[in-house]
């Protein structure tokens, strides 16, 4: 490897964490506690990660509200919700360790809502057998980030804010650092590290209607792919059933599942409670049989007592509710603005305001709707990607030495469909494991060594290219075209012909991306920032589309109109995406074998 002496800033750490959301912060805390040198890079300001937007809660079998809850039930719910495609070991570790990770958060200062006897309060969410989500009203992510951030900055690590990573640096197979630029000046910066943890979140900005913020451009997925790591299950993109549909400027903004968790009822334009018609036969016994039983369940919940009434049909899993709403609208039974109605106004107004303060404000401010007096209009919105970097369950190591991944950028944990609340717990459990895994790797690894001159030159040339072109493609137009293609061709319902059309469009968009031109200065230049994010979104769009085309069945969040049933053959295989020269190779590989004692938890 040729050693380089770049003319710009370079830093060296034992462990470099890219991403400062829940997963990145938890990983950085763990690594710093081991006494190694840790750098934490994020492209936004510290504290402004996606995690801060999380609303409903963090899932953990604390058994504070339902004494019968156990890790075994949480494991079972997660596997059933994920349509058995989950990495079973991740689902097991997650269910076993989430309670301790939540208690630890409380010891570090997080203030959760309380039960009457002073324990952490838990609320119901779709697909969870028991009330399981520890929460702070509907602002759980804010409290989580505040707590983790406090802990992280006190642990003596170095924070690099508003710093976008555009490449991972490698030495042969091994990942040895990262290259990027300061958004504030546009100047390049490089990091050498013995181990690198990706914690960059999701990919939702590639769709038109999305609950995701500007940061979710799939950077970590694409960086890992470019560096030769494998991705899995990329066809599984979760459309949350309830985003705002009106006014147009806020279309897609999330309406938390906590609204349904607290008793929100979905109705179509004919005032029909349509979810009764969409419950899957094999799970119908888990839901109330009548409106009256569902009301008893809500009443008990509001009064904080246990009940033998079963949950309302609105608490079916997200994939099912999203398909139901989409179908109601498509078949002409939607609301005035192309959604359906979600009503919680039958509950006492002060209860609604106390349980859902952000939702109350959100609708009042943005849509001029008082949710204590009338229904909201809602429809599906692109929300979360189950697919991501293939990782080892114990250590969060990717398939490339020196590279680790945790949080939404990692795949495997949630299978074909994530249950609400299972992301925040995933961040804590696997953030901690990634931190420990990276420290162990760094302890045995030789120093990262000098950075490779050729890689740095290429990365710098890529930064300069959009300014060097005298004319070319507008990045905003390209982004809008990508979003339109993904929205219409790779949405909730898919067909082979749509997916093939999407691949052709993506190929054209990639050609246009080669000609993207930006003007102005490098400092705070949003068009220039978007240019690199577009490159990453295009990689993710192709990975999702190719994987969706390969999976000829309907499972969880992946619904094929031309293959409407579960196919047991596909039930034992993950889709794998890897780079093969300049081509993307998509294959299917056997799932890790589920041990009999865990299988019994699911079948009994
Ligand atoms: C509105 C909303 C509500 C939600 N509510 C819940 C909930 O109640 N419960 C639940 O379990 N889940 C919820 N989710 C999902 C959950 O919030 C996310 O899946 C989770 O926060 C992801 O955390 P993360 O640490 O993986 O990534 P993030 O929190 O998004 O952090 C990503 C970090 O990576 C950085 N980054 C990205 N790219 C780069 C780059 N190229 N270079 C440098 N830094 C980079 C970003 O700046 C950021 O710091 C919700 C999601 C949304 C959108």
């Amino acid at each position: 490897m040729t050693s380089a002496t770049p003319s710009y800033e370079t830093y060296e750490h034992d462990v470099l964490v890219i991403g400062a959301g829940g997963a990145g912060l938890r990983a950085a805390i763990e690594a710093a506690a081991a006494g190694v040198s840790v750098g934490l890079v994020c492209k936004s300001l510290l504290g402004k990660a996606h995690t801060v937007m999380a609303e409903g809660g963090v899932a953990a079998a604390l058994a504070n509200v339902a004494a019968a809850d156990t890790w075994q039930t949480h494991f079972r719910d997660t596997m059933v919700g994920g349509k058995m495609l989950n990495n079973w070991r991740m689902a097991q570790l997650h269910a076993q360790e989430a309670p301790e990770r939540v208690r630890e958060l409380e010891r570090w200062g997080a203030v959760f809502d309380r039960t009457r006897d002073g324990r952490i309060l838990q609320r119901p969410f779709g697909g969870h057998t028991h009330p399981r989500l520890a929460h702070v009203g509907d602002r759980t992510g804010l409290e989580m980030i505040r707590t983790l951030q406090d802990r992280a900055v006190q642990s003596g690590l170095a924070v690099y804010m508003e710093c976008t990573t555009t490449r991972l640096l490698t030495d042969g197979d091994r990942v040895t650092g990262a290259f990027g630029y300061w958004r504030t000046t546009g100047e390049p910066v490089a990091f050498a590290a013995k181990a690198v943890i990706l914690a960059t979140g999701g990919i939702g900005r590639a769709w038109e209607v999305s609950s995701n913020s500007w940061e979710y451009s799939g950077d970590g997925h694409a960086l890992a792919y470019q560096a030769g790591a494998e991705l899995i299950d990329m066809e599984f993109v979760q459309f949350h059933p309830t985003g705002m549909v009106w006014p147009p400027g806020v279309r897609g903004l999330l309406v938390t599942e906590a609204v349904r968790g607290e008793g929100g009822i979905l109705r179509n334009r004919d005032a029909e409670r349509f979810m009764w018609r969409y419950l899957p036969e094999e799970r119908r016994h888990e839901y109330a049989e009548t409106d009256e039983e569902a009301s008893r369940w809500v009443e008990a919940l509001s009064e904080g007592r246990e009940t033998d009434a079963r949950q309302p049909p609105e608490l079916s899993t997200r994939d099912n509710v999203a398909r139901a709403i989409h179908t109601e609208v498509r078949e002409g039974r939607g609301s005035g603005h192309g959604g359906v109605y979600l009503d919680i106004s039958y509950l006492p107004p002060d209860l609604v305001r106390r349980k859902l303060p952000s939702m109350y404000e959100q609708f009042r401010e943005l849509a001029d709707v008082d949710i204590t007096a009338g229904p909201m209009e809602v429809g599906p919105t692109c929300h979360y990607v189950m697919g991501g970097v293939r990782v080892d369950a114990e250590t969060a190591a990717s398939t490339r030495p020196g590279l680790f991944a945790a949080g939404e950028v990692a795949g495997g944990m949630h299978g074909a469909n994530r249950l609400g609340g299972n992301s925040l717990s995933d961040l804590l459990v696997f953030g901690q494991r990634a931190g420990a895994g990276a420290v162990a790797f760094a302890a045995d690894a030789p120093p990262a060594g000098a950075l490779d001159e050729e890689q740095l030159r290429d990365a710098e040339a890529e930064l300069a290219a959009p300014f060097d072109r005298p004319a070319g493609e507008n990045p905003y137009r390209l982004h809008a075209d990508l979003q339109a293609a993904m929205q219409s061709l790779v949405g909730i319902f898919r067909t082979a012909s749509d997916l093939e059309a999407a691949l052709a469009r993506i190929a054209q968009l990639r050609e246009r991306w080669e000609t993207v031109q930006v003007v102005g200065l490098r400092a705070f230049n949003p068009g220039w920032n978007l240019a690199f994010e577009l490159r990453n979104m295009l990689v993710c769009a192709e990975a999702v589309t190719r994987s969706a085309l390969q999976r000829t069945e309907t499972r969880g969040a992946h619904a094929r109109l031309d293959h409407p049933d579960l196919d047991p053959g596909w039930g034992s295989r993950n889709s794998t995406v890897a780079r093969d020269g300049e081509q993307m190779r998509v294959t299917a590989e056997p799932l890790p074998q589920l041990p009999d004692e865990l299988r019994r938890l699911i079948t009994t």
Side-chain angles (χ1 to χ4, degrees), residues 19-20 23 43-44 50-51 54-57 165 215-216 219 408 421 423-424:
K43 69 179 179 181
S44 44
H50 216 74
T51 304
E55 295 165 350
T165 305
E215 291 158 298
Y216 265 25
D219 295 7
E408 195 168 337
S423 171
L424 294 189

Side-chain angles (χ1 to χ4, degrees), residues 392-595:
D392 172 58
E394 316 291 332
T395 61
S398 76
T399 52
R400 273 283 179 261
L403 183 65
F404 297 75
E408 195 168 337
V409 70
M413 162 65 210
H414 305 284
N417 175 51
R418 173 176 73 87
L419 296 187
N422 268 2
S423 171
L424 294 189
S425 39
D426 167 0
L427 311 181
L428 295 173
V429 168
F430 294 103
Q432 184 270 333
R433 283 185 165 269
V439 167
F441 180 90
D444 294 337
L451 297 172
D452 178 58
E453 199 173 332
E454 200 182 322
Q455 291 179 43
L456 290 175
R457 257 202 318 268
D458 280 357
E460 281 183 68
E462 193 180 37
L463 288 191
F467 289 108
D468 293 344
R469 297 181 186 120
E473 185 70 51
N474 177 318
Y476 295 104
R477 193 174 315 123
L478 199 54
H479 188 202
D481 289 350
L482 172 65
Q483 289 180 319
M486 295 307 283
Q487 190 72 30
S488 62
L489 300 171
V490 197
I492 295 183
F493 287 105
R494 300 156 176 187
T495 62
S497 57
D498 278 356
L499 294 169
E500 273 156 10
L503 280 179
R505 290 253 202 112
I506 292 165
Q508 289 162 1
L509 291 165
R510 202 175 324 98
E511 276 177 28
R512 284 168 59 191
W513 179 81
E514 299 284 345
T515 69
V516 159
Q517 185 223 17
V518 290
V519 292
L521 301 172
R522 282 185 172 205
F524 290 119
N525 187 326
W528 187 51
N529 295 332
L530 180 59
F532 306 110
E533 292 170 346
L534 270 170
R535 180 200 64 185
N536 301 331
M537 283 188 265
L538 283 165
V539 169
C540 294
E542 183 177 350
V544 170
T545 310
R546 287 196 185 283
S547 304
L549 192 56
Q550 173 180 250
R551 185 171 286 274
T552 45
E553 67 158 352
T554 289
R555 181 177 298 271
H558 170 66
R560 287 279 300 257
L561 288 173
D562 47 353
H563 296 278
D565 300 316
L566 276 179
D567 175 345
W570 275 111
S572 56
R573 285 182 286 169
N574 289 119
S575 309
T576 307
V577 176
R579 189 174 165 191
D580 188 359
E582 288 312 303
Q583 299 301 312
M584 183 175 281
R585 184 166 40 83
V586 177
T587 49
E589 288 188 18
L591 282 175
Q593 196 72 32
L594 179 65

